Amino acid sequence: MTQTQPPVHTAPATPEPAPTTALTGQPYEYRRHRLVEPDWTRFPGWRHVTRDQWESAQWQRVNCVKNIKQLRTLLGGTVDEHFYADLEADQRALATMSMLVPPQMINTMVPDAPPTTEALLADPIRRYMIPVASDRRTDWPSHPYATRDSLHEHDMWVAEGLTHRYPTKVLAELLSTCPQYCGHCTRMDLVGNSTPAVDKLKLTLKPVDRYDAHITYLKAHPGVRDVVVSGGDVANVPWRSLESYLMRLLEIETIRDIRLATKALMGLPQHWLQPDVVEGLERVARTAARRGVNLAIHTHVNHAQSLTPLVAKATQTALDVGVRDVRNQGVLMRGVNASTTDLLDLCFALQGEAGILPYYFYMCDMIPNAEHWRVPVWHAQQLQHDIMGYLPGYATPRIVCDVPFVGKRWVHMVTEYDRERGISYWTKNYRTSIESADLEALNKRYAYHDPIDTLPDTGQQWWRTHRDD
Ligand code: SF4
């Protein structure tokens, strides 16, 4: 057995005292929190894991937790049987994503102590990465208008995996897997393994044919200047294939922005620190710079607890090799981050400690069994109001609602809002690829729905009566 070495940092994250010049009595008091890699040896199953093992992407991938048995082995007796029964009930009937959590992410749950059942149940990372049945609502587990592909991305495919929704930009889904599966995944229709509740859509083309089809479409459509290269998560594309795809994009004169979508920058930073990946990223960044193309990484961090020195190191490495910017697109969720303090703590940690620009928070989409996570539009508007003025303006994130058939709208852009029934109405200023012949598309109003349990009694009663309308 390899000898145990201490982790990088073992001290718990303690906030620094507020400077004496700080204004007091503000709704939010800024304190600097330096990043800390929690001590993974507090988990019985990782008591003998060395720093070399921890920092190995391969070790992280091999030791991902994929099922209850592995979780039980890891946690030992720190968590009681009710928790596992709760988890099993969720996986059997409710979960839309299968379980896949890298050690790096598990280690950010209950970071200061061996996890007890109560602490684990209350933990914000656990609440979206390892959902249990008792988290979900029993009155309204799903909104009546929830759908598997709530943003209709599949309907807007112009080639397999290539969604053309906005006039000048496309989303390229290179594959349907990630190194980690998030319970609230908006692409639950396609991403990950099937669960008892969801039989997933499958990509059918060979990757090489899928990528060829994307490139052919983009060459034929010079009006598209911006490609979000996503999945799944690009960290699961073998590096040589990803580099080849990116270099082919960079050969298309009309492409001016490329954004790589990878939650793994946070969930598995070890991947982005592997020498072959770093060297390859540098080649791509150099080529992008030579051609005047903006190359950025977009990641997905939902809580300050997820940020550790390894995440900051992976981010800094990407910036050092020439990636122009690393930005965060979090998801707003009840029980995870839907408070002013949680959002500002996260944004200050992203901006001040990890080198990641707070960019967007999306409202959680209207997928099945997600009502316990979703917040109403008025709550998102209140949060947007309450986070203004603390961060630098350029680093103050916008909270957006991704309205079906519309796209991202800032939450204050709602044109009409029925608070009693929780229906907001939105307009748009472009046609999606499936509306090119619809002359009325820009004159219509498009609806988004608040979670019903947040409505006044009269509104909830209305939905009970009209449940099947
Ligand atoms: S990393 Fe992104 S695509 Fe993958 S499961 Fe999470 S939210 Fe979905």
Side-chain angles (χ1 to χ4, degrees):
M1 185 181 296
T2 338
Q3 202 190 348
T4 308
Q5 297 165 9
V8 186
H9 299 270
T10 52
T14 38
E16 294 185 356
T20 49
T21 52
L23 293 171
T24 54
Q26 299 290 1
Y28 175 82
E29 297 283 350
Y30 167 71
R31 301 273 198 288
R32 184 172 182 192
H33 289 256
R34 291 186 192 273
L35 303 186
V36 170
E37 209 74 54
D39 177 4
W40 55 85
T41 63
R42 75 189 183 285
F43 289 94
W46 293 334
R47 207 153 269 156
H48 303 292
V49 170
T50 66
R51 187 188 309 175
D52 284 348
Q53 288 173 310
W54 191 261
E55 294 186 355
S56 152
Q58 198 192 354
W59 185 90
Q60 289 277 334
R61 285 191 190 261
V62 168
N63 288 280
C64 279
V65 172
K66 303 182 202 67
N67 54 50
I68 294 175
K69 186 166 173 244
Q70 291 173 339
L71 188 64
R72 200 191 288 270
T73 305
L74 171 65
L75 298 177
T78 57
V79 170
D80 68 35
E81 283 306 312
H82 289 112
F83 177 82
Y84 297 114
D86 207 359
L87 179 54
E88 202 274 331
D90 199 72
Q91 296 190 344
R92 189 172 2 100
L94 301 168
T96 55
M97 299 299 289
S98 58
M99 191 177 186
L100 182 66
V101 197
Q104 171 76 23
M105 284 200 83
I106 292 193
N107 194 36
T108 61
M109 297 175 193
V110 195
D112 297 337
T116 60
T117 306
E118 294 69 32
L120 203 53
L121 281 171
D123 187 84
I125 315 299
R126 195 286 306 158
R127 279 184 63 87
Y128 80 92
M129 289 305 294
I130 309 182
V132 295
S134 64
D135 292 335
R136 309 213 193 232
R137 298 204 64 87
T138 50
D139 50 357
W140 296 98
S142 296
H143 194 282
Y145 286 126
T147 53
R148 290 172 50 138
D149 179 15
S150 71
L151 303 180
H152 305 276
E153 289 179 334
H154 183 208
D155 297 339
M156 296 177 201
W157 277 4
V158 288
E160 187 178 84
L162 192 68
T163 299
H164 193 171
R165 179 157 62 139
Y166 301 97
T168 57
K169 46 190 180 177
V170 291
L171 166 75
E173 294 163 314
L174 298 199
L175 80 177
S176 60
T177 67
C178 307
Q180 65 284 308
Y181 291 133
C182 317
H184 66 286
C185 180
T186 198
R187 298 204 180 107
M188 45 73 68
D189 190 34
L190 173 73
V191 169
N193 307 311
S194 292
T195 67
V198 184
D199 196 16
K200 306 269 169 158
L201 186 74
K202 296 269 184 288
L203 294 171
T204 55
L205 292 178
K206 284 190 200 148
V208 62
D209 296 333
R210 188 177 321 124
Y211 304 166
D212 281 351
H214 292 187
I215 300 294
T216 302
Y217 182 85
L218 293 170
K219 282 182 177 165
H221 292 81
V224 177
R225 60 172 301 290
D226 178 359
V227 184
V228 176
V229 183
S230 182
D233 187 321
V234 294
N236 268 16
V237 182
W239 179 263
R240 286 160 68 107
S241 300
L242 181 59
E243 182 170 342
S244 151
Y245 185 92
L246 296 173
M247 290 300 198
R248 291 174 77 190
L249 283 184
L250 286 167
E251 283 166 10
I252 304 173
E253 286 277 312
T254 45
I255 302 297
R256 312 305 302 147
D257 269 276
I258 296 176
R259 308 186 256 172
L260 298 175
T262 176
K263 186 179 177 103
L265 187 76
M266 172 275 276
L268 189 69
Q270 295 84 350
H271 169 84
W272 290 101
L273 287 165
Q274 295 175 107
D276 59 328
V277 173
V278 174
E279 286 158 21
L281 191 60
E282 184 165 24
R283 285 190 292 272
V284 174
R286 233 188 284 121
T287 307
R290 207 168 44 241
R291 300 195 176 162
V293 174
N294 300 305
L295 176 72
I297 288 178
H298 282 195
T299 193
H300 169 187
V301 187
N302 294 329
H303 196 275
Q305 258 171 242
S306 296
L307 294 169
T308 75
L310 270 179
V311 179
K313 186 175 172 189
T315 302
Q316 192 55 52
T317 302
L319 295 171
D320 287 348
V321 300
V323 171
R324 178 188 153 144
D325 211 350
V326 179
R327 309 182 185 115
N328 185 53
Q329 302 189 156
V331 177
L332 195 58
M333 282 179 280
R334 281 195 264 181
V336 176
N337 58 12
S339 74
T340 307
T341 299
D342 281 334
L343 290 186
L344 285 175
D345 282 353
L346 168 56
C347 291
F348 278 115
L350 288 164
Q351 166 73 2
E353 313 302 327
I356 300 172
L357 187 77
Y359 171 43
Y360 276 141
F361 285 105
Y362 286 87
M363 294 181 68
C364 183
D365 292 318
M366 289 175 54
I367 54 165
N369 296 341
E371 293 307 272
H372 65 296
W373 283 310
R374 294 202 312 120
V375 301
V377 168
W378 61 263
H379 186 171
Q381 290 174 332
Q382 185 66 48
L383 287 170
Q384 180 75 78
H385 173 274
D386 290 351
I387 65 174
M388 299 300 291
Y390 287 90
L391 292 145
Y394 69 90
T396 301
R398 280 166 281 174
I399 303 181
V400 293
C401 182
D402 211 336
V403 182
F405 294 112
V406 174
K408 283 180 284 299
R409 306 277 95 176
W410 301 349
V411 287
H412 283 87
M413 290 172 70
V414 60
T415 51
E416 202 181 320
Y417 191 4
D418 176 346
R419 286 281 299 268
E420 186 181 21
R421 295 175 187 175
I423 310 174
S424 49
Y425 297 95
W426 310 74
T427 55
K428 64 179 178 179
N429 51 334
Y430 45 77
R431 289 184 185 81
T432 62
S433 61
I434 54 175
E435 295 159 328
S436 48
D438 182 355
L439 297 179
E440 284 306 303
L442 305 194
N443 299 324
K444 289 181 187 161
R445 297 181 322 160
Y446 298 83
Y448 180 83
H449 298 89
D450 287 345
I452 293 171
D453 69 280
T454 64
L455 304 182
D457 288 346
T458 48
Q460 296 198 33
Q461 184 53 39
W462 187 87
W463 279 104
R464 275 191 280 275
T465 318
H466 295 79
R467 192 185 280 259
D468 301 321
D469 281 5

